[in-house]
Amino acid sequence: MMINGKQEFTITAYTENHVGLLHRITVVFTKRKINIESLTTSESERDGIHRFTIAVTETEETVSKVVKQIEKQIEVLKADFYKKNEVVQQELALYKIPTKSLTNGIEVERIVRKHNARFLTIEKKFVVIEKAGFRRETKALFDELIPFGIHEFVRSGRIAVAREEFGIGQDVKQLLETTAY
Amino acid sequence: MNGAEAIVQILLNEDVDLIFGYPGGAIMPVYDALYDQQEHIQHVLARHEQGAIHAAQGYAKASGKPGVCLATSGPGATNLITGIADAQIDSAPLVCITGQVGSTLLGSDAFQETDIISISMPVTKWNYQVTDAREIPSALAKAFYIAKSGRPGPVLIDITKDAQFQELDFEYEHCESLRSYTPEISPNPEAIEEAAILINEAQRPFILFGQGVILANAEAEFKTLIEKTGIPAAWTLLGLSALETDHPLNVGMLGMHGNYGPNLLTNECDVLIAIGMRFDDRVTGNLDNYATQAKVIHLDIDPSEINKNVKAHIPILGDVKVTLPLLLDKVKLNNHLEWLQRFHDCARIEQEKVIAAELYPSGDVLSMGEVVRIVNEYTNGDAIIVTDVGQHQMIACRYSKFSQSKSNITSGGLGTMGFGLPAAIGAKLGAPERTVIAIVGDGGLQMTIQELATIYQTKAKVKILLLNNEFLGMVRQWQQLFFDKRYSSTEMINPDFQTIAKGYQIPAKKVTRRADLEKAIIDFLDYDGAYFLEVMVGKENNVFPMVPSGAGIAEIRLE
Ligand SMILES: Cc1ncc(C[n+]2csc(CCOP(=O)(O)OP(=O)(O)O)c2C)c(N)n1
């Protein structure tokens, strides 16, 4: 979906694991007043190499410029961006609701099953439900759980891999094989 | 050896023989280590860290070597920021070393603690905090490598005081590559092929050149290219002096106060070849009507500059030292005399409407242009001209003559008032055999006037030429033209600069009448040492031509 030429993009960057790099990368966005919808850093498939996954809604032109600026940072090995249909993506949500809502019938269990979610833990006073999915899916479950009282809700940032055999991970592999540290 | 001694040892290893700085608590161990190496490393004590860093910038620009700057933590470090931002936007190689509070105190709001890593992050090419002496060699090796390579820029290394005291086994290796950083890009032969075809077929090709030519030391390659193809070439503020002023294909300056022809004809050329320049908004004016008719070939070392402001039909990534010769091989011997004549026609119009009156004013009031004209007559274009920011900067850049490269030093991208005087000190120390003239305004001079003491102490033979209009001239000009002449806070009641110069033991002279001007300039240039020449110029003179901000370049105004 495009609004004002803006659409959802996922930016992926492979980086060295360096204190301060997160700041350096976010500066690229703040300098242009671009809102980061979510940002996830994690290890990548390569030893010692980190991976940033950044979700933004922007025009393609802006995103391509931002990605060049990210790649320009000294400790970034490679960066690229993908449209929605070019990635396989996921988010994870946790919902905390009172345990007593379970004792009042099977409604919650039915909802959880319907949404392909699961109980992560059932404590005396509260239960935690986990659901992986797209934004609208985790939101749909949220809406259905509202009547039972949601004590806490959290959704992770987007994680995504390229919808192709090899993403830029392949370029990174090559880079690491051909250049010394 | 301790960390501080290692730092000094590394400076020696990197062939640094001159540094700029200002001491303070958190950097004292380094100053102590410098004490033992005074014969090998000269430390220039500025009078403010901003002065130190602008001097380091001037040194870098004049010598082509990285400028090194030392400061203490907290206020020392924050005082560097303006210069770091200036160096970042103008691609000056700098290595800044700041002291930091002890590592155990980090984050405790200790005395003179500031998070300089976070503060400097958006304005450095790279920065790093060292908390362990054993990291000093690798961090500084990277710092020098990153500052100098690719598109140069400032780096900052923040070193905690305990790391400066800590003992280490010293070993040093220059850094020559980093796996996450690719400053050299191999040229794409197809792009060069396509560009050559476009250039060979062009009827009205036009070259814009920037500082990239100078940073790559590619002045000769550049000149050969324009001479072979016969293409007229115009410069950005920072590209100035890459091609001698009198070259027949040098058609002048681009941008807001640039020459008439280069601006007007940018919108008439069929192929626009941008070499080592970044289409700054002061060059392009409103992008919606900038060269929309032209096919654009863009040569640059920085991939993020391609398509940033102006879409390149053919991008040629890489160091122009490498790409220009490849292009040269493929382009035809050619000329474009009729097209070149168009530039000459525009130059004649500009001469009649603007330049003649600026260089040879008819009334009694002295103009900045005539001062620069007479300076030219006696320097023959061999001097390094360092300017501050404002009307005098535009006049100096428009009218100074240059016969060799690396001769124009100015704050372009940031437009930092206060840059001129300290940058001139650095330039003189970086190119001692050359005449260095700081052309400054009365506003900007007072932003870093304390550096006159640095001149006094170092005996740097800097020529200071103050063009005094008793106004913040450039802002006043805008107020006159765009704010109904409402001169809000731009008139200046100034001190007696003559007395001030004398206080710093710098010979000084003030000129108010044309009859005294030429003689004063001769004395100024002939004097063997620093000299302060103040010329009272028209209070309400304006710089023309001018592209009003927000307008397209073709809307350039001659009056
Ligand atoms: C640090 C800083 N503050 C403010 C400005 C805005 N500014 C640009 S030109 C100018 C006037 C400069 O006056 P002066 O130094 O007297 O030079 P002139 O224009 O009169 O030649 C000002 C205030 C600036 N460029 N830099």
Side-chain angles (χ1 to χ4, degrees):
Chain A
M1 197 174 60
M2 286 240 219
I3 302 162
N4 301 334
K6 293 185 178 184
Q7 52 178 314
E8 206 179 292
F9 285 97
T10 304
I11 297 170
T12 299
Y14 282 81
T15 74
E16 299 289 358
N17 180 10
H18 177 96
V19 181
L21 188 57
L22 173 62
H23 189 182
R24 227 170 228 292
I25 288 178
T26 53
V27 159
V28 172
F29 293 88
T30 41
K31 187 175 171 190
R32 293 166 182 77
K33 206 165 188 228
I34 297 170
N35 187 29
I36 295 177
E37 281 158 29
S38 79
L39 185 155
T40 306
T41 75
S42 69
E43 283 150 24
S44 72
E45 65 277 14
R46 308 260 151 240
D47 197 24
I49 301 296
H50 267 234
R51 177 177 175 135
F52 281 69
T53 307
I54 303 166
V56 290
T57 300
E58 258 307 331
T59 63
E60 181 157 2
E61 193 188 338
T62 303
V63 172
S64 78
K65 287 181 190 174
V66 160
V67 166
K68 282 192 199 170
Q69 294 294 333
I70 292 174
E71 200 166 69
K72 181 167 160 174
Q73 306 308 317
I74 303 292
E75 276 112 353
V76 174
L77 291 120
K78 279 275 166 209
D80 205 351
F81 64 98
Y82 304 93
K83 290 189 183 127
K84 200 168 175 177
N85 61 354
E86 294 168 340
V87 284
V88 179
Q89 64 178 53
Q90 198 65 293
E91 290 173 353
L92 189 71
L94 301 179
Y95 314 72
K96 188 200 280 179
I97 60 171
T99 308
K100 68 173 186 308
S101 53
L102 293 184
T103 49
N104 300 343
I106 58 156
E107 185 59 7
V108 171
E109 277 155 89
R110 193 188 60 76
I111 293 170
V112 167
R113 229 175 304 116
K114 183 177 105 189
H115 284 271
N116 263 327
R118 66 181 187 119
F119 290 103
L120 206 54
T121 181
I122 303 180
E123 308 280 329
K124 212 164 133 211
K125 295 255 158 115
F126 64 90
V127 299
V128 178
I129 298 164
E130 174 205 89
K131 157 115 191 100
F134 289 120
R135 176 75 47 101
R136 73 181 133 68
E137 296 169 334
T138 52
K139 172 79 168 62
L141 175 56
F142 181 90
D143 290 342
E144 287 208 48
L145 290 174
I146 289 175
F148 304 96
I150 300 174
H151 289 341
E152 255 193 86
F153 168 73
V154 64
R155 184 167 48 215
S156 74
R158 178 188 306 164
I159 54 170
V161 291
R163 199 179 274 284
E164 56 190 333
E165 189 179 1
F166 304 107
I168 47 168
Q170 197 64 3
D171 304 339
V172 173
K173 178 165 177 255
Q174 230 168 34
L175 204 74
L176 297 178
E177 281 165 2
T178 51
T179 39
Y181 191 82
Chain B
M1 176 183 300
N2 69 21
E5 289 158 348
I7 293 167
V8 173
Q9 208 52 51
I10 291 164
L11 295 179
L12 292 169
N13 271 287
E14 292 287 347
D15 286 330
V16 175
D17 53 14
L18 186 76
I19 63 178
F20 303 85
Y22 207 94
I27 193 79
M28 281 181 68
V30 176
Y31 273 85
D32 191 57
L34 280 169
Y35 192 74
D36 292 328
Q37 294 291 350
Q38 292 175 63
E39 274 168 47
H40 301 115
I41 300 179
Q42 183 193 351
H43 176 273
V44 174
L45 176 65
R47 291 301 186 270
H48 186 297
E49 288 85 355
Q50 186 186 354
I53 190 142
H54 290 327
Q57 292 175 269
Y59 174 85
K61 296 268 160 174
S63 70
K65 298 202 288 182
V68 177
C69 193
L70 282 188
T72 191
S73 65
T78 55
N79 276 345
L80 297 179
I81 291 296
T82 303
I84 296 178
D86 193 290
Q88 169 87 339
I89 201 163
D90 280 355
S91 308
L94 293 186
V95 174
C96 304
I97 301 172
T98 51
Q100 180 57 279
V101 301
S103 58
T104 53
L105 293 173
L106 285 172
S108 71
D109 300 324
F111 178 63
Q112 295 195 328
E113 179 187 4
T114 49
D115 180 4
I116 199 64
I117 290 293
S118 292
I119 292 173
S120 65
M121 199 150 287
V123 290
T124 46
K125 186 173 173 187
W126 184 67
N127 64 7
Y128 189 75
Q129 185 174 63
V130 173
T131 50
D132 183 324
R134 287 166 299 181
E135 289 183 301
I136 288 174
S138 64
L140 279 175
K142 273 171 83 171
F144 277 95
Y145 170 61
I146 291 168
K148 288 187 287 190
S149 55
R151 179 175 178 176
V155 302
L156 182 141
I157 304 291
D158 192 37
I159 307 181
T160 58
K161 198 169 178 184
D162 50 333
Q164 297 171 40
F165 280 127
Q166 187 189 337
E167 293 290 319
L168 74 156
D169 293 327
F170 182 72
E171 237 183 289
Y172 191 69
E173 247 181 273
H174 294 284
C175 177
E176 268 144 21
S177 74
L178 288 171
R179 66 184 186 184
S180 62
Y181 170 57
T182 330
E184 281 140 37
I185 302 154
S186 11
N188 170 359
E190 277 164 38
I192 288 171
E193 188 76 44
E194 283 173 43
I197 294 172
L198 212 52
I199 291 171
N200 289 337
E201 287 172 358
Q203 298 302 307
R204 295 178 311 282
F206 183 30
I207 287 179
L208 317 180
F209 63 99
Q211 191 189 204
V213 173
I214 299 172
L215 292 171
N217 292 311
E219 294 90 344
E221 291 81 353
F222 171 72
K223 188 150 85 173
T224 320
L225 180 83
I226 61 167
E227 287 174 353
K228 183 168 177 191
T229 56
I231 300 176
W235 37 273
T236 70
L237 201 63
L238 294 187
L240 176 53
S241 87
L243 178 68
E244 64 265 24
T245 316
D246 290 337
H247 193 284
L249 289 167
N250 187 338
V251 293
M253 172 172 161
L254 295 164
M256 186 173 268
H257 291 291
N259 291 114
Y260 184 53
N263 277 306
L264 200 68
L265 299 178
T266 297
N267 280 3
E268 290 187 28
C269 68
D270 58 354
V271 176
L272 192 67
I273 306 137
I275 305 179
M277 59 83 77
R278 61 183 180 88
F279 293 109
D280 175 66
D281 59 282
R282 282 293 190 268
V283 161
T284 63
N286 187 342
L287 282 171
D288 293 339
N289 29 43
Y290 181 78
T292 47
Q293 81 295 343
K295 287 262 187 295
V296 176
I297 301 170
H298 192 177
L299 293 84
D300 206 280
I301 198 166
D302 180 353
S304 73
E305 288 300 344
I306 304 294
N307 297 339
K308 189 181 83 176
N309 297 333
V310 170
K311 189 172 159 11
H313 298 87
I314 305 177
I316 301 181
L317 274 171
D319 187 334
V320 293
K321 184 89 182 169
V322 177
T323 54
L324 284 176
L326 296 174
L327 194 56
L328 183 68
D329 277 351
K330 298 244 165 4
V331 292
K332 284 193 313 212
L333 189 65
N334 207 341
N335 67 58
H336 296 280
L337 297 177
E338 271 176 44
W339 170 232
L340 185 61
Q341 186 55 42
R342 296 284 311 283
F343 287 88
H344 294 159
D345 294 343
C346 288
R348 195 162 13 82
I349 296 170
E350 186 177 344
Q351 179 71 31
E352 284 162 13
K353 295 216 159 142
V354 178
I355 301 176
E358 181 63 46
L359 298 188
Y360 301 92
S362 49
D364 288 341
V365 174
L366 294 177
S367 74
M368 293 184 178
E370 69 182 309
V371 180
V372 173
R373 170 179 61 80
I374 298 171
V375 169
N376 282 334
E377 283 167 16
Y378 290 94
T379 59
N380 293 318
D382 288 332
I384 292 181
I385 304 289
V386 185
T387 77
D388 208 84
V389 171
Q391 290 183 313
H392 66 279
Q393 174 190 35
M394 291 300 122
I395 296 287
C397 290
R398 283 177 55 83
Y399 298 110
S400 292
K401 293 206 171 203
F402 295 99
S403 58
Q404 47 181 311
S405 187
K406 290 198 176 67
S407 295
N408 177 60
I409 298 176
T410 194
S411 169
L414 205 66
T416 306
M417 283 172 73
F419 174 86
L421 178 65
I425 300 171
K428 181 67 193 175
L429 296 169
E433 70 294 348
R434 300 195 56 194
T435 300
V436 174
I437 305 172
I439 301 184
V440 297
D442 45 320
L445 171 64
Q446 291 181 79
M447 285 207 175
T448 47
I449 197 166
Q450 75 285 348
E451 300 308 328
L452 290 173
T454 310
I455 291 179
Y456 179 39
Q457 183 160 355
T458 57
K459 304 194 172 59
K461 297 178 182 175
V462 177
K463 311 281 174 191
I464 304 144
L465 178 54
L466 167 61
L467 299 177
N468 188 351
N469 53 14
E470 301 179 289
F471 264 111
L472 295 172
M474 185 59 94
V475 178
R476 186 212 51 76
Q477 173 170 346
W478 284 49
Q479 288 172 333
Q480 179 188 338
L481 299 177
F482 310 116
F483 291 89
D484 280 341
K485 248 186 164 188
R486 288 149 57 87
Y487 292 166
S488 177
S489 292
T490 42
E491 189 158 16
M492 304 234 277
I493 297 181
N494 284 322
D496 177 8
F497 292 111
Q498 297 299 302
T499 310
I500 289 180
K502 287 190 181 112
Y504 288 107
Q505 308 284 335
I506 296 171
K509 174 106 192 164
K510 179 171 177 172
V511 172
T512 52
R513 297 182 315 154
R514 184 162 297 124
D516 304 326
L517 183 60
E518 185 160 352
K519 168 80 169 56
I521 289 175
I522 294 172
D523 292 346
F524 168 69
L525 293 172
D526 280 352
Y527 186 77
D528 184 24
Y531 195 103
F532 187 96
L533 177 63
E534 173 181 11
V535 182
M536 302 307 290
V537 293
K539 288 180 67 135
E540 297 187 50
N541 287 10
N542 288 332
V543 185
F544 280 107
M546 177 173 196
V547 180
S549 77
I553 44 169
E555 295 167 64
I556 183 165
R557 286 170 58 172
L558 287 168
E559 52 208 341

